[in-house]
Amino acid sequence: MARNLARNLDRLLRPRNIAVIGGGAWCRAVVEQCQKMGFAGQIWPVHPRAETVGGLPAFASLNALPEPPDACFVGVNREATIALVGQLSQMGAGGAVCFASGFLEAQAEDAEGADLQAGLLDAAGEMPILGPNCYGFVNYLDGALLWPDQHGGQRCDSGVAVITQSSNIAINLTMQTRGLPLAYVVTAGNQAQCGIADIGLSLLDDPRVTALGLHIEGFGDLRGFEALAAKAQALGKPIVAIKVGRSDQARAATISHTASLAGQDAGAAALLRRLGIARVPDLPTLLETLKLLHVAGPLPQGTVATISCSGGEASLAADTAMPMAVTFPPLNPRQETDLRAALGPRVALANPLDYHTYIWRDVPAMTRCFAAMSDTSIAITILIVDFPRADRCDPDDWDCVIAACIAAQQETGRQYGMAATLPELMPETVAAQLLAAGVVPFSGLTEALAACAASVTASSISSPVLLPEACEDPRLVPEAEAKTTLATFGLRVPRSARAAHLDDVGQAAKAISFPQVLKGEGIAHKTEAGAVCLNLQDKAETLAAAKNMPARSFLIEEMITGALAELLIGVMRDPAHGYVLTIAAGGVLTEILKDSVSLLLPTTPADVDAALDRLKIAPLLNGYRGKPPCNRAAILRAVMAVQDYVLAHASGLQEIEINPLICTQHDAIAADALLRRDLDLN
């Protein structure tokens, strides 16, 4: 995953002239859409036989063009695409969109796909290309399109940029009627050369772009995404993403609980969190979050106030927000005094606020109410207003709430939004009016609150992730050897003795104090296999347990007492994202609670400490119902010891699992350790 220097996409994405190569319906659409959008530059159709394409005179060849084109839409078959891209590169073109499919994305159905893609990359050389299997892009700022279809957007002076790996999703996003100004919509295709991160870096350079939205099916260039996040943070342009799909690579055979806890998506979630990229679950929330970021930028905290003229809407807001990272601060004395003055004695004051309809149509009174509700402790004040459908009803009676909201924002200088509980009840004309005044027009109450949670400022970790190294043939390392190895990095392990045969158990048992633990070696899930016996009180019990155990060799350890909590500490090699550290409830509760947090390595003690507090069993760690707290410093030392081993021996490593890490008032001891790696690299 070596990081190549980013190509300059300026000429391609912001062209002075456009060449459209091919003569089918797709190419005609590119020409027509450019004209429809009012592209100010030259449009040069290229076709060897047609006199015109899309109503414009065609050039017979690339050599006949007046100059090397800035941006080229290559709308021919895949074999011809390679030759034309090579010619464009040699003549100094600014870049190309490769529309044809049948390259690497089709290798499962067509063995030639990989070779054709290699040929395309060789032909392109240093010239940037988007795709193949790519719809291209729409630049709404300059009216420049390399887009072979209809779209629903319009020109704007500034707005958000969106990059997707799906052309169909891109089309759908242009059709939104939510009032969101789109500056760019770009499809990445199969990312043969320029990936999402490369495109994003170029879009962020445009001062007219306010925020960046990503639809990601899979991460390729981790270093590229790190560079993208760093630039976004430096420019103050937040990124929000949808991550879909599951990595086949992350389904590498595993034999630990760590893999099932982390799941196939944990690495992606940890990576986005590490990069400070907000993750949202669906397209509506993506659009509403981008809208909030465009108008207000990231919120400083997730504190919200809502105002409605219905108790039902106030309750709905409170209930909807419960699973989200937003809160409704109680009213302070200043708010209560000002609200009482605006509303009179008949309204119960609270946040969320139902202000009834006593002051409806009284714009000055409504303004005083809305202004009184906002506060420095509240990041955004949201009015819940569902507008009547204009085709059957008269919406003019709702003009008063628009005027009062805008006036309250101007009076207080604080951020306001207006949310329709149902997305379709926020008219696009109203959204445009609110946007022009700096009020966020939310389409959907659920999406509005989710957007507030997603937009809260997130800081990224500066250190790069540990890139995954090769692991060809991972094997299970014997537990005793795994513990000895990890102990050299500072992991606390029990005193132990090995018995290579059943006949050696008695002698080994005498070397360890009682009570003690007997384990069968070479078995990953010992408890399920009946290969572990606890709290053995004497040699006779240990011998009896060994005779009934499905193992040929054994490990005898001291029994750790005084446990206040048990944790799982695991690291899994995820070829798509790096090394995923999982911290979870351990012991017999691991599979029952599924209580886990994942981070990417390398991490810091501070981030591990914060992760521990996010666990459901955090109260046990901190001291629960009169019991003393676990030794947090010892837990952190155990986690960092595991990380230190991974950093030193990443090559050939597949997974590590400590389960349980027994946490006491004074220590944290690895009662069991699983290590799987290429043994010849150990």
Side-chain angles (χ1 to χ4, degrees):
M1 296 186 184
R3 175 74 183 137
N4 295 321
L5 293 176
R7 288 173 169 80
N8 189 327
L9 304 182
D10 288 351
R11 288 177 64 196
L12 174 60
L13 295 177
R14 294 174 279 277
R16 297 172 298 108
N17 51 62
I18 294 171
V20 182
I21 305 170
W26 303 110
C27 293
R28 289 196 300 273
V30 174
V31 174
E32 292 164 359
Q33 292 298 329
C34 280
Q35 294 173 313
K36 184 177 179 181
M37 278 279 282
F39 176 59
Q42 295 294 311
I43 305 169
W44 299 327
V46 178
H47 195 281
R49 295 179 300 278
E51 293 186 2
T52 63
V53 174
L56 293 180
F59 293 84
S61 69
L62 292 176
N63 292 330
L65 294 177
E67 61 182 273
D70 286 337
C72 312
F73 183 86
V74 183
V76 297
N77 64 56
R78 60 183 185 172
E79 288 81 7
T81 292
I82 296 173
L84 287 165
V85 164
Q87 188 176 352
L88 287 167
S89 178
Q90 291 176 4
M91 66 190 295
V97 168
C98 299
F99 181 63
S101 59
F103 290 85
L104 191 61
E105 81 282 353
Q107 64 176 336
E109 299 83 23
D110 187 347
E112 292 185 67
D115 291 338
L116 288 169
Q117 181 143 317
L120 178 64
L121 289 172
D122 184 62
E126 293 303 311
M127 183 187 74
I129 58 172
L130 299 184
N133 191 25
C134 177
Y135 240 52
F137 66 89
V138 183
N139 172 347
Y140 288 106
L141 300 168
D142 304 309
L145 296 83
L146 272 68
W147 190 261
D149 207 337
Q150 299 184 88
H151 65 91
Q154 60 184 357
R155 297 284 293 270
C156 64
D157 295 325
S158 69
V160 303
V162 178
I163 309 171
T164 86
Q165 288 186 245
S166 164
S167 298
N168 215 47
I169 286 178
I171 295 172
N172 296 340
L173 291 176
T174 72
M175 302 297 176
Q176 56 89 23
T177 59
R178 298 166 178 262
L180 174 66
L182 295 169
Y184 292 89
V185 174
V186 185
T187 62
N190 81 7
Q191 303 181 85
Q193 182 205 74
C194 293
I196 287 178
D198 299 298
I199 299 167
L201 286 167
S202 181
L203 296 179
L204 289 176
D205 277 334
D206 193 323
R208 300 167 293 178
V209 170
T210 56
L212 180 61
L214 306 178
H215 165 260
I216 306 169
E217 294 175 5
F219 296 94
D221 180 4
L222 295 180
R223 293 288 180 255
F225 274 92
E226 288 173 339
L228 177 65
K231 172 171 267 193
Q233 190 174 44
L235 295 175
K237 297 183 178 184
I239 305 176
V240 58
I242 293 178
K243 170 63 179 67
V244 298
R246 296 294 184 263
S247 168
D248 289 337
Q249 292 173 308
R251 288 199 289 265
T254 55
I255 56 175
S256 66
H257 296 288
T258 303
S260 60
L261 280 173
Q264 299 159 6
D265 196 42
L271 179 62
L272 290 171
R273 186 167 55 248
R274 183 186 188 98
L275 297 177
I277 296 176
R279 188 181 191 184
V280 294
D282 50 55
L283 292 174
T285 306
L286 175 72
L287 293 174
E288 296 308 307
T289 305
L290 287 171
K291 194 187 302 179
L292 172 58
L293 293 172
H294 171 73
V295 176
L299 297 181
Q301 68 266 346
T303 51
V304 176
T306 64
I307 308 174
S308 64
C309 58
S310 162
E313 290 171 338
S315 299
L316 181 63
D319 286 353
T320 301
M322 283 188 66
M324 302 177 184
V326 294
T327 59
F328 292 85
L331 300 178
N332 60 38
R334 195 278 307 161
Q335 289 172 296
E336 291 181 344
T337 299
D338 292 352
L339 285 169
R340 183 62 68 205
L343 294 172
R346 292 182 291 174
V347 175
L349 302 181
N351 181 24
L353 175 68
D354 167 17
Y355 73 101
H356 296 264
T357 55
Y358 302 122
I359 59 173
W360 189 262
R361 302 185 188 91
D362 185 344
V363 173
M366 295 173 76
T367 300
R368 288 194 298 272
C369 171
F370 300 163
M373 190 66 174
S374 71
D375 190 74
T376 54
S377 64
I378 293 172
I380 186 169
T381 302
I382 300 175
L383 278 73
I384 302 175
V385 183
D386 286 285
F387 293 89
R389 49 187 300 166
D391 59 338
R392 299 176 185 173
C393 307
D394 182 3
D396 291 348
D397 200 25
W398 275 253
D399 289 347
C400 59
V401 73
I402 299 174
C405 180
I406 293 173
Q409 174 154 307
Q410 292 173 343
E411 178 182 316
T412 64
R414 301 190 183 109
Q415 188 60 57
Y416 281 76
M418 190 175 290
T421 55
L422 298 177
E424 61 269 26
L425 299 185
M426 173 57 72
E428 193 169 16
T429 53
V430 174
Q433 183 181 355
L434 294 171
L435 277 169
V439 175
V440 186
F442 291 111
S443 300
L445 179 59
T446 300
E447 292 89 343
L449 295 171
C452 291
S455 73
V456 173
T457 305
S459 59
S460 60
I461 297 176
S462 58
S463 62
V465 299
L466 178 64
L467 298 180
E469 299 200 30
C471 181
E472 303 296 338
D473 185 23
R475 306 288 182 88
L476 189 65
V477 176
E479 182 183 349
E481 182 182 339
K483 283 181 172 175
T484 299
T485 299
L486 293 170
T488 64
F489 287 84
L491 183 68
R492 282 275 287 114
V493 299
R495 289 184 295 110
S496 64
R498 290 190 67 241
H501 305 283
L502 181 61
D503 294 342
D504 301 327
V505 169
Q507 188 65 31
K510 289 169 57 178
I512 304 299
S513 60
F514 292 96
Q516 60 187 218
V517 178
L518 177 71
K519 300 177 179 179
E521 291 193 317
I523 300 171
H525 298 299
K526 295 180 178 64
T527 301
E528 292 88 334
V532 58
C533 289
L534 306 176
N535 205 30
L536 299 170
Q537 297 296 323
D538 54 39
K539 176 181 173 181
E541 284 192 15
T542 302
L543 283 169
K547 290 177 181 178
N548 294 319
M549 192 170 283
R552 295 184 177 181
S553 60
F554 306 88
L555 179 65
I556 301 170
E557 295 182 331
E558 65 173 318
M559 180 81 181
I560 305 301
T561 59
L564 296 169
E566 294 183 343
L567 290 174
L568 176 148
I569 308 298
V571 174
M572 183 180 71
R573 173 185 173 271
D574 179 350
H577 308 108
Y579 293 89
V580 182
L581 167 68
T582 298
I583 304 171
V588 296
L589 298 179
T590 296
E591 296 295 344
I592 296 173
L593 293 184
K594 297 189 182 298
D595 175 21
S596 65
V597 178
S598 292
L599 305 169
L600 287 181
L601 300 185
T603 189
T604 66
D607 286 304
V608 173
D609 197 45
L612 290 169
D613 284 334
R614 297 207 301 271
L615 293 173
K616 297 173 187 174
I617 64 164
L620 293 178
L621 303 177
N622 298 328
Y624 187 66
R625 291 197 171 183
K627 290 190 176 183
C630 299
N631 189 315
R632 183 65 70 99
I635 296 172
L636 295 177
R637 282 196 299 270
V639 176
M640 301 314 289
V642 172
Q643 171 171 273
D644 288 346
Y645 172 80
V646 176
L647 296 179
H649 298 287
S651 180
L653 175 67
Q654 179 61 33
E655 57 182 326
I656 298 175
E657 179 175 286
I658 309 300
N659 187 24
L661 180 75
I662 297 179
C663 305
T664 72
Q665 185 178 358
H666 304 292
D667 212 340
I669 303 172
D672 197 1
L674 180 150
L675 174 59
R676 198 158 69 102
R677 59 170 304 115
D678 289 339
L679 296 183
D680 57 342
L681 295 177
N682 191 10

